[in-house]
Amino acid sequence: MSSKNKDTRTRILEVTWHLMEQQRGQGVRLADVAAAAGVSRQAVYLHFGSRTELMIATTAYVDEVKGLNDRLQQLQNITSAHELLEKSITIWGNYIPEIYGLAKAMLSTRETDEAIAAAWDKQMDCLRNACQDIIDAFIREEILTPEWTRSKAIEMLWTALSIQNWEQLTIECGWSTSQYIEWMKTFLKHAFTKLEN
Amino acid sequence: MSSKNKDTRTRILEVTWHLMEQQRGQGVRLADVAAAAGVSRQAVYLHFGSRTELMIATTAYVDEVKGLNDRLQQLQNITSAHELLEKSITIWGNYIPEIYGLAKAMLSTRETDEAIAAAWDKQMDCLRNACQDIIDAFIREEILTPEWTRSKAIEMLWTALSIQNWEQLTIECGWSTSQYIEWMKTFLKHAFTKLEN
DNA sequence: GTGTAAATTGACGCCATGTCAAGTAAAAAT
DNA sequence: ATTTTTACTTGACATGGCGTCAATTTACAC
């Protein structure tokens, strides 16, 4: 099996991620992680030092494996601002379900943990940049609704695309991934742009 | 002192609320609550039985004192749908800062606590109803953007007005209460209605 | 004064994180 | 071949909240 060949550190990271997704970021104890990885609880401490460090390392690992940044790079050569918005939402909407459990754990831990908060903010930067690119494209094409300020539009867009909103719409309201994507497109298109039709 | 005359139960509730606001819902221990109320830790258990029950009782107490429902009742005789949206956002935007700490504590606890989750959902009903009234008013006046379904519009509006979004915009992005209110009005008006100008 | 309700005091169990020290097993170095 | 190093195990223990229990004390009512 491939997972048995991997080194202990990677195995712990993978198992942590798996448990986070499985339990939606809740109630994942280090003892569970260790047991699932087939090592002692102390081995986790030897490799990561603390729960916080394990979570940060797992986030980095997932980022590496899933590569949101790479996916968003594909948007570089898009011409139309509306296409940019739509493709961004599609990428983001398909990405969230894959990292939701870990994201949720990070979000709840960050309140009391500076290091987690910093690591999370760093991850969020890439979404913020995407939002900035979108609003800048709207401005370039002169289709941003005139009331908006550049910075206010960016921040509102970023907020609308938050994981908490995805959670509320999909998990609480029961929307499917494609419903989330489609309605979010509708929502944001109307919120920020003058429509030409 | 008025607070000294109040019975122990009320004093505990008030102190809990105060500490929750002061510490933004984080790190409020029952020992702190007891000390601040001038009673023993056990007295808290005698009155409320558990942390969960204390939080639920505090939520009910705050609801009673702050009366969001009463404030929203003022909207009953509003004619224009846009006015309804704007006044609702104003009321909501001024309400959140007063209950934010407690709300945050409830939000983070609800993940692992069924009773808290149920109590919170009950509180949220009144916002949901307000959102429903707004969308229905848009439909009645035939100004809802045609793409929207009634239920999807209600759910999206409800999500946009979530406390997490308020938190992100005000605390993380640094918006003032009035900025939140004004930009949220702009945002939602464009997102859901055909504009007549 | 005796009874009762409200609260205090202090001890204890539980559980997760985190720490410590001693031991083991296999690969690497000499 | 033996030592050393590396990676990990084992088990015990400290800490800090929550929650529970039992034995008081305080205060007021009758």
Side-chain angles (χ1 to χ4, degrees):
Chain A
M1 296 300 98
S2 66
S3 74
K4 270 286 157 191
N5 297 339
K6 284 172 184 162
D7 62 342
T8 304
R9 192 188 142 90
T10 309
R11 225 163 58 234
I12 293 171
L13 289 171
E14 223 150 61
V15 147
T16 302
W17 180 17
H18 180 238
L19 285 178
M20 288 289 185
E21 294 309 318
Q22 201 175 319
Q23 305 185 33
R24 287 183 172 173
Q26 295 295 317
V28 176
R29 295 165 299 185
L30 293 196
D32 300 337
V33 169
V39 296
S40 67
R41 194 167 64 91
Q42 274 21 294
V44 178
Y45 283 96
L46 287 173
H47 280 283
F48 301 98
S50 71
R51 184 187 179 82
T52 293
E53 290 304 316
L54 172 61
M55 284 178 63
I56 292 173
T58 305
T59 301
Y61 177 72
V62 168
D63 190 46
E64 195 184 294
V65 173
K66 284 292 166 186
L68 176 61
N69 256 314
D70 298 347
R71 300 193 201 182
L72 290 173
Q73 286 312 312
Q74 300 167 3
L75 303 170
Q76 289 298 19
N77 45 357
I78 283 178
T79 49
S80 146
H82 273 123
E83 196 191 340
L84 181 62
L85 175 72
E86 297 197 351
K87 291 236 165 117
S88 298
I89 294 174
T90 302
I91 290 173
W92 184 238
N94 284 311
Y95 180 70
I96 302 177
E98 304 187 52
I99 53 92
Y100 169 61
L102 182 59
K104 198 169 166 86
M106 293 289 284
L107 282 170
S108 65
T109 311
R110 92 180 147 152
E111 309 300 338
T112 50
D113 189 321
E114 274 297 321
I116 295 276
W120 180 252
D121 287 350
K122 204 180 140 216
Q123 285 293 315
M124 276 297 97
D125 272 353
C126 103
L127 177 64
R128 263 194 119 124
N129 289 335
C131 291
Q132 194 174 302
D133 291 346
I134 292 165
I135 297 300
D136 283 342
F138 286 156
I139 293 170
R140 210 178 312 119
E141 292 189 15
E142 296 181 350
I143 54 174
L144 184 72
T145 313
E147 285 100 319
W148 287 108
T149 292
R150 177 173 179 270
S151 71
K152 289 287 180 292
I154 292 169
E155 289 166 345
M156 189 64 96
L157 176 57
W158 176 58
T159 299
L161 291 175
S162 73
I163 287 178
Q164 291 98 324
N165 282 0
W166 177 88
E167 181 183 20
Q168 185 153 321
L169 293 170
T170 60
I171 293 175
E172 290 195 50
C173 298
W175 295 16
S176 66
T177 292
S178 61
Q179 281 179 320
Y180 169 85
I181 291 170
E182 291 313 314
W183 290 108
M184 195 54 90
K185 284 178 188 172
T186 302
F187 183 55
L188 296 175
K189 218 178 344 179
H190 284 91
F192 292 110
T193 70
K194 308 181 251 192
L195 295 175
E196 51 261 44
N197 55 336
Chain B
M1 299 294 100
S2 66
S3 73
K4 271 286 158 193
N5 297 339
K6 283 174 186 164
D7 62 343
T8 305
R9 191 189 144 90
T10 309
R11 224 163 60 234
I12 293 171
L13 288 171
E14 223 150 60
V15 148
T16 303
W17 181 16
H18 180 239
L19 284 178
M20 287 288 185
E21 293 309 318
Q22 201 175 321
Q23 305 185 34
R24 289 185 171 170
Q26 294 295 319
V28 177
R29 293 165 301 183
L30 294 196
D32 300 337
V33 168
V39 296
S40 67
R41 193 167 66 93
Q42 272 27 314
V44 177
Y45 282 96
L46 287 173
H47 281 282
F48 300 97
S50 71
R51 184 188 179 82
T52 294
E53 290 303 316
L54 173 61
M55 284 179 63
I56 292 173
T58 305
T59 302
Y61 176 72
V62 168
D63 190 46
E64 195 183 293
V65 173
K66 285 292 167 186
L68 175 62
N69 256 313
D70 299 347
R71 300 193 201 182
L72 290 173
Q73 286 312 311
Q74 299 166 4
L75 303 170
Q76 289 298 16
N77 44 357
I78 282 177
T79 48
S80 146
H82 273 122
E83 197 191 340
L84 182 62
L85 175 72
E86 296 196 351
K87 291 236 166 116
S88 298
I89 294 173
T90 303
I91 290 173
W92 183 239
N94 285 310
Y95 180 71
I96 302 177
E98 305 187 53
I99 52 93
Y100 169 61
L102 183 58
K104 198 169 166 84
M106 293 288 285
L107 282 170
S108 65
T109 311
R110 93 181 146 150
E111 308 300 339
T112 50
D113 188 321
E114 273 296 321
I116 295 276
W120 180 253
D121 287 350
K122 204 180 140 216
Q123 287 292 315
M124 277 296 97
D125 271 353
C126 103
L127 177 64
R128 262 195 118 125
N129 289 334
C131 291
Q132 194 175 302
D133 291 347
I134 292 165
I135 297 300
D136 283 342
F138 286 157
I139 293 171
R140 208 178 312 117
E141 292 189 15
E142 296 179 351
I143 54 175
L144 183 72
T145 314
E147 285 100 319
W148 286 108
T149 290
R150 176 174 179 268
S151 70
K152 288 288 181 292
I154 292 169
E155 289 166 345
M156 189 64 96
L157 175 57
W158 176 58
T159 299
L161 292 174
S162 72
I163 288 178
Q164 291 98 325
N165 282 0
W166 177 89
E167 182 183 19
Q168 184 154 323
L169 293 170
T170 61
I171 293 176
E172 289 195 51
C173 298
W175 295 16
S176 67
T177 291
S178 62
Q179 282 179 318
Y180 169 85
I181 292 171
E182 291 313 314
W183 290 108
M184 195 53 89
K185 284 178 188 171
T186 302
F187 183 55
L188 296 175
K189 218 180 341 179
H190 284 90
F192 292 110
T193 69
K194 307 181 252 192
L195 294 175
E196 52 260 44
N197 57 336

Tab-separated table of all heavy atoms in Angstrom, chain B residues 44-78:
chain	number	residue	atom	x	y	z
B	44	VAL	N	-23.638	28.960	40.463
B	44	VAL	CA	-23.986	28.970	39.043
B	44	VAL	C	-24.618	27.635	38.653
B	44	VAL	O	-25.624	27.592	37.936
B	44	VAL	CB	-22.736	29.252	38.174
B	44	VAL	CG1	-23.089	29.200	36.695
B	44	VAL	CG2	-22.128	30.597	38.542
B	45	TYR	N	-24.044	26.557	39.180
B	45	TYR	CA	-24.598	25.230	38.876
B	45	TYR	C	-25.962	25.040	39.520
B	45	TYR	O	-26.844	24.393	38.949
B	45	TYR	CB	-23.632	24.132	39.314
B	45	TYR	CG	-22.490	23.970	38.342
B	45	TYR	CD1	-21.277	24.597	38.564
B	45	TYR	CD2	-22.641	23.216	37.187
B	45	TYR	CE1	-20.230	24.469	37.659
B	45	TYR	CE2	-21.604	23.079	36.280
B	45	TYR	CZ	-20.398	23.708	36.532
B	45	TYR	OH	-19.369	23.579	35.624
B	46	LEU	N	-26.141	25.594	40.727
B	46	LEU	CA	-27.443	25.479	41.385
B	46	LEU	C	-28.526	26.173	40.561
B	46	LEU	O	-29.643	25.692	40.450
B	46	LEU	CB	-27.385	26.085	42.791
B	46	LEU	CG	-26.608	25.257	43.818
B	46	LEU	CD1	-26.457	26.022	45.118
B	46	LEU	CD2	-27.301	23.926	44.058
B	47	HIS	N	-28.169	27.283	39.940
B	47	HIS	CA	-29.168	28.046	39.183
B	47	HIS	C	-29.372	27.547	37.762
B	47	HIS	O	-30.477	27.617	37.234
B	47	HIS	CB	-28.790	29.525	39.156
B	47	HIS	CG	-29.144	30.244	40.421
B	47	HIS	ND1	-30.432	30.638	40.707
B	47	HIS	CD2	-28.397	30.599	41.487
B	47	HIS	CE1	-30.444	31.225	41.894
B	47	HIS	NE2	-29.228	31.206	42.399
B	48	PHE	N	-28.297	27.081	37.147
B	48	PHE	CA	-28.402	26.771	35.716
B	48	PHE	C	-28.028	25.336	35.341
B	48	PHE	O	-28.316	24.918	34.224
B	48	PHE	CB	-27.569	27.763	34.905
B	48	PHE	CG	-28.012	29.188	35.093
B	48	PHE	CD1	-27.369	30.021	35.992
B	48	PHE	CD2	-29.111	29.680	34.402
B	48	PHE	CE1	-27.783	31.328	36.180
B	48	PHE	CE2	-29.534	30.983	34.583
B	48	PHE	CZ	-28.871	31.814	35.482
B	49	GLY	N	-27.377	24.633	36.226
B	49	GLY	CA	-27.113	23.223	35.951
B	49	GLY	C	-25.910	22.942	35.086
B	49	GLY	O	-25.202	21.966	35.298
B	50	SER	N	-25.652	23.793	34.101
B	50	SER	CA	-24.498	23.568	33.223
B	50	SER	C	-24.184	24.834	32.453
B	50	SER	O	-24.987	25.765	32.391
B	50	SER	CB	-24.780	22.446	32.230
B	50	SER	OG	-25.726	22.875	31.283
B	51	ARG	N	-23.033	24.835	31.868
B	51	ARG	CA	-22.608	25.955	31.021
B	51	ARG	C	-23.594	26.169	29.878
B	51	ARG	O	-23.975	27.300	29.566
B	51	ARG	CB	-21.212	25.630	30.473
B	51	ARG	CG	-20.623	26.731	29.666
B	51	ARG	CD	-19.329	26.318	28.979
B	51	ARG	NE	-18.846	27.431	28.206
B	51	ARG	CZ	-18.145	28.436	28.710
B	51	ARG	NH1	-17.844	28.453	29.982
B	51	ARG	NH2	-17.757	29.439	27.955
B	52	THR	N	-23.977	25.073	29.265
B	52	THR	CA	-24.935	25.140	28.162
B	52	THR	C	-26.209	25.867	28.576
B	52	THR	O	-26.667	26.785	27.896
B	52	THR	CB	-25.275	23.715	27.688
B	52	THR	OG1	-24.111	23.130	27.112
B	52	THR	CG2	-26.403	23.721	26.681
B	53	GLU	N	-26.765	25.437	29.715
B	53	GLU	CA	-28.018	26.043	30.167
B	53	GLU	C	-27.833	27.519	30.496
B	53	GLU	O	-28.722	28.337	30.260
B	53	GLU	CB	-28.553	25.295	31.380
B	53	GLU	CG	-29.066	23.899	31.064
B	53	GLU	CD	-30.157	23.914	29.990
B	53	GLU	OE1	-31.054	24.767	30.066
B	53	GLU	OE2	-30.088	23.079	29.066
B	54	LEU	N	-26.678	27.834	31.067
B	54	LEU	CA	-26.398	29.239	31.364
B	54	LEU	C	-26.378	30.071	30.093
B	54	LEU	O	-26.954	31.159	30.029
B	54	LEU	CB	-25.047	29.371	32.087
B	54	LEU	CG	-24.561	30.806	32.303
B	54	LEU	CD1	-25.539	31.604	33.159
B	54	LEU	CD2	-23.167	30.819	32.930
B	55	MET	N	-25.747	29.548	29.068
B	55	MET	CA	-25.667	30.298	27.816
B	55	MET	C	-27.042	30.460	27.187
B	55	MET	O	-27.381	31.535	26.675
B	55	MET	CB	-24.705	29.600	26.849
B	55	MET	CG	-23.254	29.829	27.228
B	55	MET	SD	-22.107	28.990	26.127
B	55	MET	CE	-22.473	29.801	24.567
B	56	ILE	N	-27.818	29.405	27.221
B	56	ILE	CA	-29.168	29.495	26.648
B	56	ILE	C	-30.005	30.506	27.427
B	56	ILE	O	-30.708	31.341	26.848
B	56	ILE	CB	-29.837	28.100	26.636
B	56	ILE	CG1	-29.109	27.195	25.640
B	56	ILE	CG2	-31.314	28.200	26.304
B	56	ILE	CD1	-29.567	25.748	25.657
B	57	ALA	N	-29.901	30.434	28.754
B	57	ALA	CA	-30.662	31.370	29.587
B	57	ALA	C	-30.198	32.808	29.344
B	57	ALA	O	-31.022	33.738	29.311
B	57	ALA	CB	-30.504	31.005	31.062
B	58	THR	N	-28.898	32.979	29.158
B	58	THR	CA	-28.380	34.326	28.892
B	58	THR	C	-28.907	34.849	27.557
B	58	THR	O	-29.289	36.014	27.439
B	58	THR	CB	-26.836	34.318	28.883
B	58	THR	OG1	-26.369	33.774	30.118
B	58	THR	CG2	-26.286	35.728	28.735
B	59	THR	N	-28.938	33.970	26.572
B	59	THR	CA	-29.478	34.351	25.270
B	59	THR	C	-30.927	34.809	25.400
B	59	THR	O	-31.324	35.844	24.851
B	59	THR	CB	-29.396	33.166	24.289
B	59	THR	OG1	-28.038	32.747	24.177
B	59	THR	CG2	-29.920	33.553	22.922
B	60	ALA	N	-31.697	34.049	26.139
B	60	ALA	CA	-33.112	34.411	26.342
B	60	ALA	C	-33.218	35.741	27.084
B	60	ALA	O	-34.051	36.586	26.746
B	60	ALA	CB	-33.816	33.303	27.122
B	61	TYR	N	-32.357	35.918	28.057
B	61	TYR	CA	-32.357	37.147	28.841
B	61	TYR	C	-32.031	38.358	27.962
B	61	TYR	O	-32.725	39.381	27.995
B	61	TYR	CB	-31.335	37.031	29.976
B	61	TYR	CG	-31.178	38.267	30.804
B	61	TYR	CD1	-32.175	38.669	31.701
B	61	TYR	CD2	-30.037	39.060	30.699
B	61	TYR	CE1	-32.023	39.815	32.470
B	61	TYR	CE2	-29.884	40.201	31.468
B	61	TYR	CZ	-30.873	40.583	32.340
B	61	TYR	OH	-30.731	41.715	33.092
B	62	VAL	N	-31.001	38.224	27.167
B	62	VAL	CA	-30.600	39.313	26.272
B	62	VAL	C	-31.707	39.606	25.275
B	62	VAL	O	-32.006	40.764	24.980
B	62	VAL	CB	-29.292	38.948	25.542
B	62	VAL	CG1	-29.011	39.916	24.398
B	62	VAL	CG2	-28.126	38.936	26.522
B	63	ASP	N	-32.308	38.557	24.780
B	63	ASP	CA	-33.396	38.720	23.836
B	63	ASP	C	-34.514	39.539	24.459
B	63	ASP	O	-35.089	40.433	23.835
B	63	ASP	CB	-33.920	37.339	23.434
B	63	ASP	CG	-34.894	37.432	22.266
B	63	ASP	OD1	-34.572	38.142	21.298
B	63	ASP	OD2	-35.973	36.818	22.355
B	64	GLU	N	-34.785	39.241	25.712
B	64	GLU	CA	-35.836	39.932	26.446
B	64	GLU	C	-35.478	41.413	26.658
B	64	GLU	O	-36.287	42.304	26.433
B	64	GLU	CB	-35.985	39.246	27.807
B	64	GLU	CG	-37.232	39.574	28.576
B	64	GLU	CD	-37.178	38.863	29.923
B	64	GLU	OE1	-37.229	37.607	29.926
B	64	GLU	OE2	-37.066	39.552	30.945
B	65	VAL	N	-34.235	41.627	27.068
B	65	VAL	CA	-33.796	42.998	27.347
B	65	VAL	C	-33.665	43.824	26.071
B	65	VAL	O	-34.104	44.972	26.010
B	65	VAL	CB	-32.439	42.985	28.090
B	65	VAL	CG1	-31.876	44.391	28.226
B	65	VAL	CG2	-32.602	42.343	29.456
B	66	LYS	N	-33.074	43.220	25.044
B	66	LYS	CA	-32.788	43.973	23.818
B	66	LYS	C	-33.954	43.982	22.838
B	66	LYS	O	-34.116	44.915	22.059
B	66	LYS	CB	-31.546	43.387	23.133
B	66	LYS	CG	-30.254	43.759	23.832
B	66	LYS	CD	-30.001	45.258	23.679
B	66	LYS	CE	-28.910	45.733	24.620
B	66	LYS	NZ	-28.778	47.206	24.579
B	67	GLY	N	-34.728	42.905	22.862
B	67	GLY	CA	-35.948	42.853	22.066
B	67	GLY	C	-35.801	43.140	20.590
B	67	GLY	O	-36.372	44.091	20.066
B	68	LEU	N	-35.058	42.312	19.894
B	68	LEU	CA	-34.970	42.476	18.440
B	68	LEU	C	-36.337	42.341	17.798
B	68	LEU	O	-36.690	43.098	16.891
B	68	LEU	CB	-34.007	41.425	17.860
B	68	LEU	CG	-33.900	41.403	16.333
B	68	LEU	CD1	-33.370	42.718	15.793
B	68	LEU	CD2	-33.027	40.250	15.864
B	69	ASN	N	-37.087	41.383	18.290
B	69	ASN	CA	-38.426	41.176	17.742
B	69	ASN	C	-39.273	42.443	17.804
B	69	ASN	O	-39.928	42.812	16.839
B	69	ASN	CB	-39.131	40.040	18.491
B	69	ASN	CG	-39.164	38.773	17.665
B	69	ASN	OD1	-39.508	38.821	16.489
B	69	ASN	ND2	-38.783	37.657	18.255
B	70	ASP	N	-39.231	43.107	18.966
B	70	ASP	CA	-39.979	44.353	19.103
B	70	ASP	C	-39.520	45.384	18.078
B	70	ASP	O	-40.313	46.048	17.440
B	70	ASP	CB	-39.797	44.933	20.517
B	70	ASP	CG	-40.323	43.976	21.583
B	70	ASP	OD1	-41.033	43.023	21.205
B	70	ASP	OD2	-40.014	44.182	22.767
B	71	ARG	N	-38.196	45.464	17.944
B	71	ARG	CA	-37.667	46.442	16.993
B	71	ARG	C	-38.122	46.131	15.576
B	71	ARG	O	-38.438	47.031	14.797
B	71	ARG	CB	-36.124	46.431	17.018
B	71	ARG	CG	-35.524	46.774	18.361
B	71	ARG	CD	-34.047	47.055	18.231
B	71	ARG	NE	-33.349	46.895	19.493
B	71	ARG	CZ	-32.049	47.114	19.658
B	71	ARG	NH1	-31.313	47.499	18.634
B	71	ARG	NH2	-31.470	46.954	20.834
B	72	LEU	N	-38.145	44.845	15.242
B	72	LEU	CA	-38.547	44.466	13.884
B	72	LEU	C	-40.057	44.644	13.675
B	72	LEU	O	-40.515	44.794	12.544
B	72	LEU	CB	-38.129	43.016	13.596
B	72	LEU	CG	-36.623	42.779	13.447
B	72	LEU	CD1	-36.307	41.297	13.330
B	72	LEU	CD2	-36.049	43.527	12.244
B	73	GLN	N	-40.800	44.619	14.783
B	73	GLN	CA	-42.249	44.834	14.663
B	73	GLN	C	-42.572	46.211	14.087
B	73	GLN	O	-43.577	46.408	13.425
B	73	GLN	CB	-42.941	44.683	16.034
B	73	GLN	CG	-43.062	43.251	16.530
B	73	GLN	CD	-43.614	42.285	15.484
B	73	GLN	OE1	-44.618	42.552	14.854
B	73	GLN	NE2	-42.935	41.167	15.297
B	74	GLN	N	-41.682	47.166	14.361
B	74	GLN	CA	-41.882	48.529	13.850
B	74	GLN	C	-41.964	48.567	12.326
B	74	GLN	O	-42.410	49.560	11.741
B	74	GLN	CB	-40.722	49.434	14.282
B	74	GLN	CG	-40.565	49.587	15.786
B	74	GLN	CD	-39.211	50.216	16.130
B	74	GLN	OE1	-38.460	50.585	15.226
B	74	GLN	NE2	-38.917	50.343	17.419
B	75	LEU	N	-41.523	47.495	11.684
B	75	LEU	CA	-41.481	47.481	10.228
B	75	LEU	C	-42.811	47.067	9.608
B	75	LEU	O	-42.987	47.141	8.396
B	75	LEU	CB	-40.390	46.511	9.752
B	75	LEU	CG	-38.972	46.776	10.266
B	75	LEU	CD1	-38.060	45.618	9.914
B	75	LEU	CD2	-38.429	48.075	9.693
B	76	GLN	N	-43.733	46.635	10.460
B	76	GLN	CA	-45.004	46.075	9.971
B	76	GLN	C	-45.759	46.994	9.015
B	76	GLN	O	-46.301	46.556	8.018
B	76	GLN	CB	-45.921	45.713	11.155
B	76	GLN	CG	-45.474	44.506	11.953
B	76	GLN	CD	-45.449	43.215	11.140
B	76	GLN	OE1	-45.479	43.222	9.920
B	76	GLN	NE2	-45.374	42.085	11.833
B	77	ASN	N	-45.811	48.279	9.345
B	77	ASN	CA	-46.631	49.178	8.532
B	77	ASN	C	-45.836	49.970	7.494
B	77	ASN	O	-46.217	51.056	7.090
B	77	ASN	CB	-47.416	50.126	9.445
B	77	ASN	CG	-46.537	50.681	10.553
B	77	ASN	OD1	-45.372	50.314	10.655
B	77	ASN	ND2	-47.074	51.575	11.347
B	78	ILE	N	-44.720	49.387	7.062
B	78	ILE	CA	-43.946	50.051	6.013
B	78	ILE	C	-44.506	49.654	4.657
B	78	ILE	O	-44.828	48.495	4.420
B	78	ILE	CB	-42.455	49.665	6.123
B	78	ILE	CG1	-41.812	50.465	7.264
B	78	ILE	CG2	-41.732	49.937	4.816
B	78	ILE	CD1	-40.374	50.118	7.502
